[in-house]
């Protein structure tokens, strides 16, 4: 081997080292030199579904995909654990996580609201006027509230008096203030819509957390659960036991209370068939449908409320190139509308989008899990869990027979797991 | 189709790994996916010597993986053997040190990528665990980390949960939802992840 020949590869090698050094300085960001562009993905909504999708698109895409997350809030505020803020054992800071971590992953976070989607031109127009072109769009818009189904809640003033607090944020803090301001001996009424709605066990957990607070601070007060359903629809035995034992004399449960009207002046709730109720603090969780941008984009296909998707990709069955995640979708049988499920949707969609952009088929056998903890006290918890596998014949996700289940009773060990779950899933979606 | 010898250059050999510089837009693929590691954002890849001497090919970066389709039928490039280069003389010593340093940097930077490339299906199954156990199995709290747990140990534990022979809270219920093959692939994927620093 001649000297010149021996040195040629060395020079090439040194150039390569220079390139690697540059990539290292850029921290592996999406702008790293030489990155191959697979395409542009816009994600609308930075909750459990959207933030997870954005993070995994960036992480699994290894810088080959431009990922933009459109989110109107400055920071993520978690619905799971927000009932602990209502009960007073946790504060807003405990359930708030900044979006900075996604930026470090290479996701461009745009603080704005998606105003319109042009599926033909593949452009999202933002309320602030900017236009974001996309190859694939992910909509994770959460839910909107059907106030037209509840008379008396037309005005913003009325809605400010009877809060939903069903999107964690300012309403969560205000509902807490209302409970703190309530005199001992007052009635806190929770109105639950007919299923499906976001987080089936959430209203029952909220009743427990309010009762936990009353038991200590306002022992003559009552929690009245006014359920639009025929029975407790999640963790029934466990919640019923909590109301009959832990919170005996504080919590009362009434089924078949479908809310029709409210009178905010007299704090009265009226129902299809049940008797009127007067409350000191009324928490009205209205009926729900997929967030407004889903309707605008034309992906609401079921019952004028929810978005049907192909469960291999979470792509809309109607509009190609638009994927829908989280509470906004028409769920498969046995799949709850939960934050944990939305996190799982985000990963299946991210993998499918990366495959599609690379001209590959999606994973033919996605598997999703759900773990849902409800706090009975400030530290004792019950769970429900399930596993969902894709069934090729039925073309949907099905709950695996024999899998999943419930806690035998509330316990503090699972309380620790619940807090660890929160820390890990927030990191899984936001860092 | 470009001749393989023109679209890649052997950069060096280090501890059983051959480092190549390749043309932008191409990537290495071996019969065993774990045998080749493509460097993110750089037209470079590292393969095991086994891959170098047995089956190794360059394919367009966006061609389907796994050996199907026309891209996979690209002719295997003929390469200069690194052994011949490395045996040349003692003047190669500084070069070998550089190779060693860069191989270490690249291995660290791409450790996760290598595991991910090894089995995307395993990665997807494992991702369904990350909601509780943390991204890539690195947990922040009371839920145990799975990253770096030996495959046999993790697969055995999950099998015991599934069979009802191990006590737990949610895991005996969740393990019943996964097939034995899924448990095996997820366990293999987690085992390949770097264990979290204590």
């Amino acid at each position: 081997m001649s000297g010149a020949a021996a040195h040629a590869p060395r020079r090439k090698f040194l150039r390569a080292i220079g390139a690697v050094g540059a990539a290292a300085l850029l921290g592996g960001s999406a702008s790293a030199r030489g990155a191959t562009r697979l395409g542009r993905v816009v994600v609308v909504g930075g909750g459990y579904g959207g933030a997870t999708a954005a993070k995994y698109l960036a992480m699994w895409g290894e810088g080959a995909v431009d990922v933009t997350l459109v989110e109107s809030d400055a920071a993520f505020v978690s619905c799971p654990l927000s009932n602990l803020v209502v009960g007073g054992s946790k504060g807003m800071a405990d359930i708030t996580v900044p979006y900075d971590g996604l930026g470090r992953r290479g996701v461009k976070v745009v603080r704005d609201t998606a105003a319109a989607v042009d599926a033909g031109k593949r452009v999202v127009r933002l309320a602030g006027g900017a236009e974001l072109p996309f190859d694939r769009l992910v909509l994770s818009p959460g839910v909107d509230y059907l106030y037209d189904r509840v008379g008396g809640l037309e005005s913003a003033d009325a809605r400010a008096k009877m809060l939903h607090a069903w999107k964690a944020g300012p309403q969560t803090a205000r509902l807490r203030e209302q409970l703190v301001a309530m005199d001992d001996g007052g009635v806190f009424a929770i109105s639950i819509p007919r299923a499906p709605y976001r987080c089936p066990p959430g209203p029952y957990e909220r009743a427990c957390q309010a009762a936990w607070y009353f038991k200590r601070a306002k022992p003559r007060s009552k929690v009245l659960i006014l359920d639009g359903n025929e029975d407790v629809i999640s963790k029934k035995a466990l919640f019923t036991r909590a109301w009959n034992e832990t919170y005996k004399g504080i919590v009362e449960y009434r089924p078949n209370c479908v809310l029709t009207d409210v009178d905010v002046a007299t704090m009265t709730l009226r129902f299809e068939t049940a008797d009127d109720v007067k409350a000191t603090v009324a928490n009205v969780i209205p009926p729900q449908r997929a967030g407004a941008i889903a309707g605008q984009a034309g992906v609401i296909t079921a019952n004028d409320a929810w978005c049907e998707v192909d469960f291999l990709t979470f792509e809309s069955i109607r509009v190609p190139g638009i994927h829908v995640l989280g509470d906004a979708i028409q769920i498969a049988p046995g799949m709850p509308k939960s934050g944990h499920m939305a996190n799982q949707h985000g990963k299946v969609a991210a993998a499918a989008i990366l495959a599609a952009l690379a001209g590959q088929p999606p994973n033919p056998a996605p598997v999703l899990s759900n773990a849902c903890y409800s706090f009975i006290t400030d530290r004792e918890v019950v769970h429900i869990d399930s596993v969902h596998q894709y069934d090729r014949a039925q073309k949907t996700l099905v709950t695996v027979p024999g899998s999943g289940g419930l806690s035998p009773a509330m316990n503090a060990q699972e309380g620790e797991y619940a807090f660890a779950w929160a820390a890990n899933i927030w990191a899984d979606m936001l860092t | 189709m470009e001749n393989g010898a023109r679209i890649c250059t052997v950069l060096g050999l280090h501890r059983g790994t051959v480092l190549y510089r390749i043309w932008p837009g191409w990537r290495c693929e071996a019969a065993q996916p774990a045998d080749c590691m493509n460097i993110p954002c750089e037209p470079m890849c590292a393969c095991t010597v086994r891959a170098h001497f047995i089956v190794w090919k360059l394919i367009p970066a966006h061609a389907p993986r796994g050996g199907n389709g026309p891209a996979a039928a690209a002719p295997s490039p003929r390469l200069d053997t690194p052994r011949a280069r490395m045996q040349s003389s003692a003047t190669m010593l500084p070069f070998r040190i550089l190779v060693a340093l860069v191989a270490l940097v690249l291995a660290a930077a791409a450790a996760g990528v290598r595991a991910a490339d090894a089995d995307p299906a395993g990665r997807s199954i494992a991702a369904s665990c990350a909601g509780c156990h943390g991204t890539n199995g690195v947990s922040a709290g009371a839920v145990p980390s799975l990253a770096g747990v030996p495959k046999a140990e993790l697969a055995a534990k999950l099998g015991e949960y599934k069979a009802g022979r191990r006590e737990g809270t949610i895991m005996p219920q969740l393990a019943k939802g996964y097939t034995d093959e899924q448990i095996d692939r997820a366990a293999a994927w987690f085992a390949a992840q770097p264990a979290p620093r204590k």
Side-chain angles (χ1 to χ4, degrees):
Chain A
M1 187 183 287
S2 76
H7 281 83
R10 197 186 309 180
R11 281 196 302 274
K12 286 178 183 170
F13 185 44
L14 289 170
R15 282 204 299 277
I17 293 166
V20 171
L25 285 174
L26 287 165
S29 76
S31 60
R33 194 188 67 80
T36 311
R37 305 255 67 90
L38 276 182
R40 291 165 298 195
V41 183
V42 174
V43 181
V44 173
Y48 278 87
T52 303
K55 182 252 183 78
Y56 275 78
L57 281 162
M59 185 173 80
W60 285 346
E62 297 165 15
V65 179
D66 281 321
V67 186
T68 304
L69 175 68
V70 179
E71 167 57 46
S72 55
D73 289 343
F76 165 79
V77 185
S78 175
C79 281
L81 264 60
S82 68
N83 283 327
L84 297 182
V85 177
V86 174
S89 65
K90 293 285 177 190
M92 289 300 287
D94 297 317
I95 60 166
T96 303
V97 185
Y99 283 109
D100 310 3
L102 286 177
R104 288 192 290 275
R105 281 276 177 196
V107 175
K108 187 180 174 197
V109 182
V110 175
R111 194 175 168 195
D112 207 327
T113 306
V117 174
D118 187 327
K121 288 185 186 161
R122 302 215 159 185
V123 167
V124 180
R125 189 162 47 74
L126 304 183
E131 290 196 339
L132 300 177
F134 63 82
D135 297 300
R136 293 268 163 175
L137 175 65
V138 177
L139 295 180
S140 193
V143 295
D144 267 5
Y145 304 101
L146 299 169
Y147 280 112
D148 57 342
R149 304 250 187 102
V150 183
L153 280 178
E154 292 81 6
S155 72
D157 279 357
R159 292 176 198 177
K161 270 195 171 171
M162 290 191 180
L163 303 167
H164 57 73
W166 216 239
K167 172 175 167 49
Q171 288 220 357
T172 310
R174 294 223 304 275
L175 183 59
R176 172 64 189 163
E177 288 164 14
Q178 288 183 343
L179 292 186
V180 170
M182 189 181 91
D183 290 333
D184 190 10
V187 173
F188 173 47
I190 303 173
S191 166
I192 306 174
R194 275 199 176 125
Y197 59 84
R198 160 180 282 176
C199 188
Y204 310 127
E205 180 194 54
R206 179 168 289 178
C208 291
Q209 289 306 304
W212 178 83
Y213 168 60
F214 292 164
K215 194 172 174 178
R216 275 152 195 77
K218 299 174 181 178
R220 294 189 299 119
S221 305
K222 297 277 180 277
V223 179
L224 189 50
I225 305 169
L226 304 161
D227 198 335
N229 298 287
E230 292 172 4
D231 204 344
V232 179
I233 62 167
S234 179
K235 301 174 184 163
K236 181 188 170 188
L238 294 162
F239 281 123
T240 306
R241 186 168 164 195
W243 302 332
N244 291 337
E245 295 176 13
T246 315
Y247 301 120
K248 188 175 169 60
I250 300 176
V251 176
E252 181 186 338
Y253 176 81
R254 295 184 192 170
N256 298 312
C257 293
V258 180
L259 190 69
T260 57
D261 294 274
V262 301
D263 182 348
V264 292
T266 60
M267 292 301 283
T268 304
L269 307 178
R270 298 195 184 90
F271 306 94
E272 274 181 14
T273 51
D275 293 341
D276 290 2
V277 167
K278 277 199 72 162
T280 321
V281 175
N283 173 204
V284 174
I285 304 166
Q288 295 152 29
R289 75 194 294 238
I293 191 68
Q296 198 284 328
V299 291
I300 292 181
T301 53
N303 303 322
D304 195 29
W306 309 112
C307 309
E308 290 165 281
V309 296
D310 174 346
F311 285 108
L312 287 179
T313 58
F314 286 82
E315 190 169 6
S316 164
I317 62 159
R318 181 181 286 165
V319 186
I322 301 184
H323 301 251
V324 191
L325 312 178
D327 295 340
I329 69 162
Q330 171 77 353
I331 51 176
M335 256 175 78
K337 290 188 184 294
S338 75
H340 193 113
M341 288 270 43
N343 165 272
Q344 305 272 306
H345 300 170
K347 294 169 193 175
V348 175
I353 288 168
L354 291 170
L357 291 174
Q360 296 169 19
N363 173 9
V367 55
L368 294 81
S369 69
N370 185 55
C372 162
Y373 294 103
S374 296
F375 281 82
I376 303 297
T377 69
D378 59 330
R379 58 186 193 88
E380 286 159 302
V381 159
V382 295
H383 81 253
I384 186 166
D385 57 26
S386 50
V387 180
H388 309 264
Q389 300 260 13
Y390 188 77
D391 184 296
R392 250 179 268 183
Q394 299 181 62
K395 291 189 176 172
T396 189
L397 291 163
V398 296
T399 310
V400 180
S403 76
L406 295 145
S407 307
M410 71 173 181
N411 64 88
Q413 185 191 12
E414 289 194 86
E416 278 185 43
Y417 288 159
F419 287 122
W421 168 86
N424 279 338
I425 201 165
W426 295 343
D428 192 41
M429 50 192 281
L430 294 162
T431 62
Chain B
M1 188 61 65
E2 294 290 339
N3 180 303
R6 287 181 54 205
I7 60 174
C8 72
T9 312
V10 175
L11 292 172
L13 176 71
H14 174 66
R15 291 191 181 176
T17 303
V18 189
L19 193 63
Y20 305 95
R21 183 165 181 81
I22 53 182
W23 277 16
W26 293 71
R27 60 181 166 83
C28 307
E29 188 172 280
Q32 296 295 317
D35 280 347
C36 277
M37 172 173 72
N38 290 281
I39 313 304
C41 312
E42 286 302 325
M44 296 172 71
C45 72
C47 294
T48 61
V49 171
R50 176 175 65 161
H52 181 76
F53 286 106
I54 302 174
V55 182
W56 183 100
K57 60 198 170 199
L58 278 171
I59 60 175
H62 302 138
R65 290 170 193 257
N68 297 318
S76 292
R78 292 186 56 82
L79 300 164
D80 302 336
T81 65
R83 187 176 292 163
R85 293 174 185 281
M86 301 312 293
Q87 287 171 344
S88 60
S89 72
T91 61
M92 291 299 283
L93 191 60
F95 176 64
R96 294 172 82 157
I97 291 168
L98 275 170
V99 169
L101 283 172
V102 169
L104 279 174
V105 167
L106 295 178
V113 173
R114 173 171 46 179
D117 282 349
D119 182 12
R123 182 180 74 176
S124 284
I125 299 160
S128 77
C129 311
C132 296
H133 290 275
T135 301
N136 297 341
V138 178
S139 169
V143 181
S145 285
L146 304 178
V149 176
K151 183 195 163 187
E153 180 186 331
L154 184 53
K157 262 189 192 174
L158 289 166
E160 288 168 19
Y161 278 131
K162 188 176 174 180
R165 293 197 307 268
R166 178 178 278 269
E167 295 284 309
T169 54
I170 72 172
M171 281 315 299
Q173 299 166 350
L174 289 178
K176 290 185 178 69
Y178 290 80
T179 65
D180 292 345
E181 193 207 340
Q182 286 172 330
I183 285 176
D184 218 47
R185 291 179 95 160
W189 194 86
F190 280 123
Q193 303 308 304
R197 282 171 290 180
K198 304 280 180 189

